[in-house]
Amino acid sequence: MSTCGRKWREPCARLVGWQEVRGGSEQLCAGRGLHGTADHPEDTMSLKAFELVPAVEREMLMGDKARINVECIECCGKNLYIGTNDCFVYHFLLEEKISAEKVTFAATKQLHKYLGFKKAVSELKAASALNRLLVLCDNTITLVNMMNLEPIPTGARIKGAVTFTVNENPMSGDPFCVEVCIISVKRRTIQMFMVYEDRVQIVKEVSTPEQPCAVAVDGHYLCLALTTQYIILNYNTGISQDLFPYCSDEKRPIVKRIGRQEFLLAGPGGLGMFATVDGISQRAPVHWSENVIGAALCFPYVVALDDEFITVHSMLDQLLKQTLSFKEGHILQDFEGKVFVATNKGVYILMPLPLERQIQDLLSSHRVEEALILAKAARRNIPKEKFQVMYKRILQQAGFIHFAQLQFLEAKELFRSGQLDVRELISLYPFLLPTSSSFTRSHPPLHEYADLNQLTQGDQEKMTKCKRFLMSYLNEVRSTEVANGYKEDIDTALLKLYAEANHESLLDLLVSENFCLLTDSATWLEKHKKYFALGLLHHYNGQDAAALQLWVKIVNGDIQDSTRSDLYEYIVDFLTFCSDQELVWKYAEWVLQKSEEVGVQIFTKRPLEEQGKNSFNPDNVMNCLNKYPKSLVKYLEYLVLDKKIKKEKYHTHLAVLYLETVLKLKSVTTDNCVELTETQTKLRSLLQKSDFYRIHFILDKIKGTDLHMERAILYGKLEEHDKALHILVHESKDFAAAEDYCIWSSESKDLPYRQRLFHMLLSVYLNPGSSDCELVMAAVDLLNNHAAEFDAARVLQLVPDSWSVQLLSPFLTGAMRESIHAKRMTQITLGLAKAENLIYKHDKVKLKGSPVILSDKKLCQVCQSPFCEPAFVRYPNGGMVHTHCAANRLMNPNMTHHSQT
């Protein structure tokens, strides 16, 4: 048994229910004695895929002859043929009529013909290309004319046929020939015939392992129902493949070709099995009745007939879609897309409802997955452009169904796939669309809801979830192609949602590129007291004055908005980068009054391109800041220290402000004051590092104060170092400061200048007439700590003879170490210079190369003449030639590279 067979024999995992369809179809059948049973299982997920429509009424077929029964039917175009048990063939013309979306058929009897046998007509097959009708009666296939039902004059026929079928995928390629496969009366025999307009020809006879009961053919392949199993047989090669077993004694086999190289079979366990000519199944089976007597295909449905019902299963999801009550039925066949069903007394047509209507019915029942599966399958039956429009709409409808069920992920994917006009979704939310929007909902509507209130039935929790979803969805699509053409509607709706929910993304939306409509958005923000956000909206629309007016009111407490606790700093930063100079000056006083230190940033942190504008030149700014001393200091620090402007008036002004602050603080406090220390440090730093202030002017202001270090710095600037050191040593008695003075005053100076300062300080310490022990110790410390800054020989001449060697041992050790270090460094430098000189000499020798000796005995290798002058050409191989001989290189190709000496 094949793998396919084993798989098919596994028990079905899902029990599919049934439903008895009530209404017009049942009444139609009931009127003819075809009653349904009330105890039939019902499928609660019903779909009306077909309608049962009468084709040939009982009276038209048999009149008052009660014993006439329908045995077989055939339909070709509008021609319907019926074979009866009394050996008659009836020919009807069927006309389809559509009125008020209801389809009916009018059958017109053309003629009927008695075939002359005493047995029933078993099968009918039309061959329209030959204008022939093949009629099986009494094991004989007779060829008759399709129009007049007369046997062909040649009397050609096929005898010994139990049943037959036509190969709809013929291999001959002859358009005026039909391939017919019969089950022969000979045991276990299949025969293949070629049927022409006036003759028949047997082409193949194939033996089977068991007696065949039913057959279908496709190309070279036969699908056979034998006594105990189904097989696939290639009649050309004789190779067969077993499919799966069944018992012909227990149930009627069904073998039906449903497409190229594919068959439908009645399998075990009430399964409709699909099998290809390779013996595999590419579709899942359908679960139909155990007592199926006929099956037909009308894509995407499999229609089955049993003793009481017609069932409709989908090939796409294998679900039972529809059940129609139909008793006494014994024929079910499909012809050219129409499904015919017949009882002994009448013929009916199962008319498929338009797929679009079926899909809409599924959507109305909220059966989204089934609707989408059916919609995809409809692609093969609908023109491409029409299908794309229809499918997008179906996706959108499905999206709204999921949305109403709060299944937001599924809804989002369907909205995207269906390219939903997002305004359809926004319009569900009251007041979100701008008042200026011209949007109108799709007609017919995509859903049944007036607005979100109806959809959620007032449930606030559901409403909140829906709003969160819309926020997320709008945020995702606003920068995609979905938003093209109505970005204003999207961004305005998003702003309203953010404001209502107090969402943090509101500010992100307003500070980035957006298309929020000003009027609608401003009204909404004001309604929800989002004044800071309203200011951002004004700013984005170029209304900076309106934005600042709102923000200032918030800071002043005139209106309440706690969005930003640092709003004052934000306003300062906003003004700093504001290009509207008038607006900056308008609010300059306000920001300075709030905080001098922070407010001055509107001038000190302006972009470089703004600083050069006339309105913000330093003089104008300083005039504004004169009332705000702290701001003025900050601004001058910015000019002098940050921008490094080399203007005397700014440097002097800053120094004076520092000095005044220091003197003021010294007059009011005696304790350690942090502000005094910081300001004094700034003053000293400025006096030390700046060369652009008026030294004498500052010196005059300092005289008479206890600012000794500051006076010393000023004297140092005047190169009056003796006065400076005298102040530090004798007035300030700050020996460490005196040493620091020598260090920073000699920065960027040469060594002699530095030594001069230190010797000057040593002289102040050792000044004759000063026997202060403290100064002596300061001098000793100076020497021992800064030995490298002194000329040892001069020091030894200055120090008193009474000083011991031990007292100056650190100085002497340092001096000796420095002297030795200097000597060794000099030796190293000299050695490196000599080595470098030697390298240069070596390179020069290498460049000179080996000598070339030229005498009057040497001959030119080209002309063999002696050299009369010292000019010559020497080749790499050592050969020498005259310069004029070397000009013609072709004379000696071996001499290609030369150098002239």
Side-chain angles (χ1 to χ4, degrees), residues 60 67 143 169 186 217 225 289 357 415 472 540 681 797 809 829 838-839:
M60 291 186 62
R67 294 183 179 180
L143 276 63
N169 182 23
K186 295 169 61 178
V217 61
S289 167
R357 178 176 166 185
F415 288 154
S472 171
Y540 188 82
T681 301
Q797 293 175 2
S809 62
T829 302
L838 183 61
I839 291 171

Side-chain angles (χ1 to χ4, degrees), residues 420-580:
L420 175 72
D421 181 342
V422 72
R423 295 176 296 177
E424 288 279 359
L425 184 59
I426 298 173
S427 67
L428 273 174
Y429 297 72
F431 310 114
L432 286 195
L433 278 175
T435 54
S436 59
S437 176
S438 59
F439 172 75
T440 55
R441 289 185 180 178
S442 174
H443 184 78
L446 297 173
H447 53 81
E448 58 191 15
Y449 306 105
D451 57 24
L452 195 62
N453 292 316
Q454 180 191 350
L455 187 148
T456 61
Q457 297 181 346
D459 188 319
Q460 290 300 314
E461 183 179 353
K462 290 182 180 179
M463 199 172 294
T464 301
K465 289 180 180 179
C466 291
K467 290 180 178 179
R468 286 177 187 162
F469 164 71
L470 185 60
M471 281 186 220
S472 171
Y473 185 65
L474 293 182
N475 187 53
E476 288 182 20
V477 304
R478 63 186 296 265
S479 57
T480 66
E481 293 181 359
V482 175
N484 289 347
Y486 33 85
K487 292 184 177 181
E488 294 86 356
D489 294 350
I490 292 176
D491 282 1
T492 303
L494 192 56
L495 176 141
K496 291 179 177 180
L497 287 167
Y498 283 157
E500 185 179 16
N502 195 26
H503 200 280
E504 59 185 8
S505 297
L506 173 62
L507 304 184
D508 295 331
L509 173 67
L510 290 170
V511 299
S512 59
E513 183 183 11
N514 67 80
F515 297 88
C516 300
L517 294 176
L518 179 60
T519 305
D520 270 64
S521 301
T523 303
W524 194 271
L525 291 172
E526 193 168 357
K527 171 186 175 183
H528 290 86
K529 302 187 184 306
K530 298 294 179 183
Y531 299 111
F532 175 72
L534 180 55
L536 292 177
L537 178 68
H538 283 304
H539 167 59
Y540 188 82
N541 286 274
Q543 300 176 358
D544 288 351
L548 282 167
Q549 186 178 10
L550 275 169
W551 295 337
V552 168
K553 284 184 177 180
I554 296 173
V555 175
N556 290 340
D558 299 334
I559 54 179
Q560 301 299 316
D561 186 344
S562 59
T563 302
R564 291 196 70 132
S565 59
D566 61 342
L567 183 54
Y568 167 74
E569 288 78 8
Y570 181 87
I571 294 173
V572 171
D573 191 58
F574 182 86
L575 289 170
T576 300
F577 293 92
C578 180
S579 59
D580 188 340

Side-chain angles (χ1 to χ4, degrees), residues 4 14 39 66 68 146 157 273 310 376 389 401 417 428 452 454 502 540 597 633 649 695 780 825 828 833 844 891:
C4 177
R14 175 171 50 184
D39 57 350
I68 296 179
M146 286 183 64
R157 63 185 60 194
M273 314 292 286
I310 299 170
K376 290 177 184 177
V389 174
I401 291 171
S417 303
L428 273 174
L452 195 62
Q454 180 191 350
N502 195 26
Y540 188 82
E597 292 86 346
V633 170
K649 62 178 180 178
I695 301 173
V780 173
M825 290 301 294
I828 291 172
K844 182 178 180 181
M891 296 180 67

Side-chain angles (χ1 to χ4, degrees), residues 582-596:
E582 293 184 8
L583 201 58
V584 176
W585 286 114
K586 177 180 178 180
Y587 287 97
E589 294 280 348
W590 181 82
V591 297
L592 290 168
Q593 289 171 5
K594 288 289 180 183
S595 172
E596 291 188 36

